[in-house]
Amino acid sequence: MSTSALPLYGHRSVQAEFLSAVESQRLHHAWIIEGPSGIGKARFATRLASILLGAVATPDDPAGATEDDPVMQKVLSAGHPDLKHVERQLNDKGNLKQDIAVEQIRELNAFFSLKPAMGGWRIGILDSLDEMNVSGLNAVLKTLEEPPAKALIFLISHMTTPILPTIRSRCQTLRLKALSEDDT
């Protein structure tokens, strides 16, 4: 049995929903992955991104690739040229900033303006909508309104702040639930 580099705990039905959209070739450009904190939303998004970027799934996990998969190696090392993960950064004192800076979103928008380096998708993971200010949210909205070809963005939401209706209306939603006792 092959072991996934990023094993999935719970969320199998939601994963199947996304993979069904991929198989139908009717993949939406923006997906909100929402659920309580600490249930694996960023891992879930990274798994899906790696498969879209060409990682080969294991026989027992349709969105899990092994650590020795060349694409997964690039994803795990944060070295895949077509994947950009955006999260809060550290300030000059080494503490986490309060928000994801609008400059980070502008960098994401610039990333999406480029052609895929490896000929497939350009994928962004924004972790999380709850950690953005109004300027950052407006900058994300620009990409959502005018999505480039072969670009996909995963927007993670911990559901601690309401998502702007203008953002929600331009995205598909994958709702992850708290993990069962067996999964934890």
Side-chain angles (χ1 to χ4, degrees):
M1 182 161 119
S2 302
T3 305
S4 173
L6 296 171
L8 179 66
Y9 301 100
H11 318 307
R12 295 263 179 212
S13 63
V14 181
Q15 176 178 276
E17 179 183 338
F18 180 82
L19 294 175
S20 175
V22 172
E23 287 175 26
S24 72
Q25 298 182 352
R26 301 174 100 203
L27 191 58
H28 199 270
H29 71 281
W31 293 79
I32 295 172
I33 300 175
E34 65 182 17
S37 291
I39 61 168
K41 294 180 298 295
R43 171 182 292 238
F44 185 80
T46 303
R47 287 168 50 86
L48 299 177
S50 68
I51 294 299
L52 287 172
L53 292 170
V56 178
T58 63
D60 56 321
D61 185 354
T66 61
E67 284 183 13
D68 61 350
D69 180 274
V71 172
M72 183 55 83
Q73 288 176 345
K74 286 180 178 69
V75 168
L76 291 173
S77 69
H80 198 291
D82 294 324
L83 177 63
K84 185 160 184 71
H85 193 114
V86 178
E87 57 191 348
R88 287 188 299 164
Q89 295 179 334
L90 299 177
N91 64 19
D92 297 338
K93 296 180 182 176
N95 299 321
L96 260 168
K97 291 183 178 180
Q98 183 174 348
D99 295 321
I100 293 173
V102 69
E103 293 81 30
Q104 291 176 266
I105 303 305
R106 289 184 183 129
E107 288 173 14
L108 179 66
N109 291 344
F111 166 81
F112 281 131
S113 71
L114 304 171
K115 290 190 186 291
M118 298 182 79
W121 291 90
R122 295 289 271 179
I123 300 175
I125 300 173
L126 183 58
D127 188 4
S128 81
L129 287 171
D130 309 77
E131 298 168 346
M132 295 181 64
N133 60 31
V134 173
S135 298
L137 291 169
N138 285 332
V140 163
L141 192 55
K142 179 177 173 10
T143 295
L144 297 176
E145 289 172 338
E146 301 168 15
K150 297 300 279 184
L152 186 127
I153 186 167
F154 291 109
L155 306 166
I156 295 174
S157 170
H158 304 304
M159 301 181 348
T160 58
T161 57
I163 297 173
L164 294 174
T166 51
I167 289 178
R168 189 173 287 282
S169 68
R170 288 165 174 80
C171 302
Q172 296 293 313
T173 301
L174 297 169
R175 288 184 178 85
L176 277 56
K177 297 180 179 154
L179 297 172
S180 70
E181 200 169 302
D182 288 340
D183 288 329
T184 55

